Amino acid sequence: MYAFEYHKPSSVEDAVAALSGKDDPKIVAGGMTLLPTMKQRLAAPSDLIDLGGIAKLVGVREDGGALAVGAMTTHAAVAGNDLVKSRIPALANLAEGIGDPQVRNRGTIGGSVANADPAADYPAGLVGLGATVVTNKREIAADDFFTGLFETALEEDELITSVRFPVPQKAAYAKFANPASRYAIVGVFVAQTDGGIRVAVTGAKGSVFRVAEMEQALSGNFSADAVAGIKVPADEMNGDLHASAEYRAHLVTVMAKRAVAAVG
Amino acid sequence: MPENGIGAPVRRREDKRFLTGKGRYTDDINRPGQLYAYFLRSPVAHAKVTRVETAQAEAAPGVVAVFTGQDMAADNVGSLPCGWTVTDRHGEPHKAPPHYPLVRDKVRYVGDHVAMVVAESYAQARDAADLIEVDYDELPAVVDTKEAMSGTQIHDEAPSNLCFDWELGDKDAVEQAMSQAANVVELDLINNRLIPNAMEPRAAIGDYDSGTDSYTVYSTSQNPHLLRLILCAFVLNLPESRVRVIAPDVGGGFGSKIYAYAEETCCTWAAKKVGRPVKWTAERGEAFVSDAHGRDHVTNVKLAVDQEGKFLALKVDTTANVGAYLSSFSTCVPTYLYATLLAGQYATPAIYANVKAVFTSTAPVDAYRGAGRPEATYLIERVVEVAARQLGMDPAELRRKNFIKPDQFPYQTPVALTYDIGNYEASLDKALEMIDYKGFPARKAEAETRGKLRGIGLSAYIEACGIAPSAVVGALGAGVGLWESAQVRFNATGTVSVMTGAHSHGQGHETSFAQLVSEKLGIPYENVEIVHGDTGAIPMGMGTYGSRSLAVGGSAIVRACDKIVEKGRKIAAHLLEASVDDVEFKDGQFTVVGTDRSKSMGEVAFTAYVPHNYPEGVEPGLDETAFYDPLNFTYPAGVHIAEIEVDPDTGITQIVDWVAVDDFGRVLNPMIVEGQVHGGIAQGVGQALLENCVYDKESGQLVTGSYMDYTMPRADDLPSFRVGMTVTECTHNPLGVKGCGEAGAIAAPPALINAITDAIGEEIDMPATAEKVWRVCQARFAQAAE
Amino acid sequence: MPSLSMTINGKQVTKDVDPNTLLVQFLRENLSLTGTHVGCDTSQCGACVVHVNGKSVKSCTMLAVQAEGSDVTTIEGLAQGDELHPMQAAFREHHGLQCGFCTPGMVMSAVDLLQNNPDPSETEIREWLEGNICRCTGYHNIVKAIQAAASEMRR
């Protein structure tokens, strides 16, 4: 790991201030992606700004019928949170399935969302629930937040402070994990929300996406059979050693069926 | 049976240190003034190296030295040898191109060793390596086993990249039987390439003492004496007497830590050059590219079977990938550890194998848990299963029909080995009963109601362990003897130190060998210490691999104990004023036959060291060394049965039951033996279902170079296993033991693939990944729908 | 070089370390607590698992400076003097280790499991161990050991 300056601000304002005037500063939340990348010398930030000292960014609270999850809340904390478990159990399940227990004890929702790994689970949860990403500057709808492979709508000096999840009527997440890395090869989040049925898919393409055809079909007939015949085109899918594009496309349908069945 | 004697499931004494963080592995050791090494590795698969510029790196902070192949050449450092000469079918020795620790003119695989940086800290060494400029004149990569012979030539010495073209068995007899047989069952098989992945990455410290002109080498080695021999006699030209190799706690090996590698060689050599200890510890990424890999065969097999299901002949054509260079034992794995096992458990009268070994621009391939025997068992047990399906016979009964029967032992196979003993039906019957074979159709039908495809698969394996009779392997090309040594040293107060040439890196020798000595000498288990892994402390030894430690090393201990008892009888006879012939030894007591007059082992040992009243002509001291050279291989065998369910929607295979019935001969510590079986099965399941080493065909880059892409078996990939035993004792070693370390890894892959192909009704290659299985299911459903 | 303080196995420790020092390096190299191992570079094998403020983490994926002020427990701090922790004792009794290299991380992870779930099923144990790779045991006896420790610790 190359050398860097370490900063541990105690407020969001200080964190933003610490970003300015640096060569190549990087924010570290849980560090579950950034630290391995730095260890392998694939990243060499001049400054590391650790959000671990900002107590305000941790925790889950009710926010006008929605749940606001602080950016530095760990996956384990989300999975074990009583509010999340009772109001959006599918989100608790999703968090419970991220990485392994030790990753869940360090990795955070803000870090995962800002990193926008195409195989991460949270993007499916955010888009599937129609969540809102709250930053130090503004609020961004999840549908507009994930803009591509490891790309988001965040600006250089913008920090995620929380993610606000509206409470759905029902929801579920079904994941087909990469056997080696255990990231999602395909993860499908299905939710019945006030704004209608949402079906969000992670792992399959460069970024999370919704499947309009499935959403429509489920609006008329909320059953696994309704999506069983809907195939997403394979030509836009990722393909790698562990799953070809064709297989991924197939798994989108299978995981959608399973998520719908789990919603009940 | 004494409480801690032979057969008792004694809890391991090594565990306390491992469980409390007090294990002492190579990377835990630091020497005063130590420097750190980092190896600059080739980023390309195949290239001429036209320039290596190290000046900038040498000037970097903390750097003490930068070495290249030219520096080693100037010091007359030799090539890492392959210790087994295979003579090909034209009478020529295998092609043995040089394998220099640091490359001299060419790189031949991604990860090949280009330069070594030695610095005050590891980070500084790594930083400086970035400053080395290397010009690579790139050549095409050759990674595919099947296509290697038509690829770009990798070594001047090996046209068509052919290392050897070797054969075993009676080709004419096999071809004649094939031409007349009622049925010939044919299969094309790939035995997938694996990366061993012992959890402790390799590490080494070279330490040179200029005062005595001697070296101490700490290394993650399965066989420190062999490493010393190779370093001294072949590579660095040092007297063995001046080199001490210590292999402390070693975190698993599975074969990958048998070999002499470039890194420990360089650390040893560099320690003298820089005058300070030099330490290197592999990162996991380095382990992936530079540990010797395993398997990698492409095989065509034909089995001739008559109308009644009797096997008539077996013909095997294999291409084996040995990688870019020959590792220490690369050549014997796809030959003498492979083709000699092709009879399996069956009385097939004619067998012929042709093996072509090819060089490729990939990491060297050598022995990995099972080494040749999993490859042999895989093809036999797959083709037998397919034969049963094609003939419409029950696979268990087809096996039973062709088994070598108990009254046929000793049994001379058509492929050189003589099996001493076995009872294959006994294991089959027990396994069938344990899995409730008869109940399978009902379980399959029940699974169908849940949308699952259930399958069952058998594997009746045999292996040759206890490697090996030195004269036999010498005649076949081995460059070393494969005996083992033991020294049993009584201390005056009655405790015993046992020095063994075997090395324990997970096998629990400190416990099981102490059980053996405790029983043999009739002394408390607690009084026996096992010493291993230090060439400075133990007699010359040959190390641990090929499930040989107990069969060969344990036999050496027995022989040393026999010598102790023999000498003890003389001392006791003197003390008891009896004739030596009248003194018998039992349960730790020397007794005058027919009397109650006796002396304990402890009294005798004390007398040996305080010989005030002592027999004439007998040396003081009670300290005996024995070397044991086995008379034959041992032949553990057994039957594993896997039961699985496939989810046709995703192609995921779930193992729902696993029965292993093994005949390891006499069992010293059943707890440890069962643990070995579990671990072996897990690695076999890994091969069949999850693990696959993949190189990019174009670039020669290792695609599966980390745990992100190389699928290691995890706890949730595996079931609990049900283990049973049958026993026929080995006839030719003093313990009646056979060896158990590799059985699971040998037995498991065909059992699992037989189960999966039973479920999905089509052939499939390892690893049977979810996508592959799904594709078969898709094709079959599409067919069924038509 | 910043000065860093934390409690390790009940003892207050203060050392100067570079910010790019991983917690596992700090433990192994600065404090000679070599029971915590490094088995991979992608945060997957779990040989490096320790507890930070009572929760299991991978010390290869955490900077030492991030543990400032924390309470860290390593494998060396688990036993009470000569008396093994029930999890350690169960691993020994049920032969849950062979080469011992993954063992410290495996034990620390298993202890955290029982803090979260005192009576886990076999499936729950196997799923929890996703972040701990063992190459020797096939996990069979590890699972048995954890079940036995759970039952012992519930008594």
Side-chain angles (χ1 to χ4, degrees), chain B residues 24 39 42 70 80 144 171 280 343 364 428 499 502 586 592 700:
Chain B
R24 192 161 173 263
F39 288 88
S42 174
Q70 304 313 324
L80 292 162
D144 190 79
K171 189 179 185 182
W280 169 79
L428 177 67
M499 278 55 77
K586 203 181 165 210
V592 181

Side-chain angles (χ1 to χ4, degrees), chain A residues 1-2 39-41 176 178-183 240-244 246-247 250-251 254-255 257-258, chain B residues 123 126-127 130 647 649-650 652 694 703-704 707-711 714 716-717 770-771 774-775 778:
Chain A
M1 192 180 293
Y2 296 109
K39 270 162 63 178
Q40 296 193 32
R41 302 188 159 211
F176 187 94
N178 179 315
S181 70
R182 303 296 177 102
Y183 274 87
D240 60 25
L241 188 69
H242 298 284
S244 66
E246 187 191 353
Y247 184 48
H250 166 76
L251 288 174
V254 175
M255 292 301 118
K257 271 163 52 183
R258 290 186 182 179
Chain B
R126 196 171 168 176
D127 284 344
D130 290 346
D647 171 4
D649 275 352
T650 59
I652 283 188
V694 179
V703 179
T704 52
Y707 294 145
M708 296 295 280
D709 285 309
Y710 188 88
T711 311
R714 317 262 182 117
D716 58 1
D717 293 315
E771 176 164 0
W774 169 73
R775 284 188 180 281
Q778 285 295 102

Side-chain angles (χ1 to χ4, degrees), chain B residues 6 420-422 516 520 550-552 554-556 558-559 628 633-636 663-668 726-740:
Chain B
I6 293 174
D420 64 331
I421 194 167
L516 169 60
K520 282 286 157 197
L550 185 58
V552 189
S555 294
V558 171
R559 288 288 156 81
Y628 179 81
F633 291 86
T634 62
Y635 300 96
D663 175 0
F664 298 134
R666 199 168 175 209
V667 168
L668 201 53
T726 61
V727 177
T728 61
E729 291 193 4
C730 171
T731 59
H732 57 78
N733 66 42
L735 283 164
V737 298
K738 298 181 180 176
C740 65

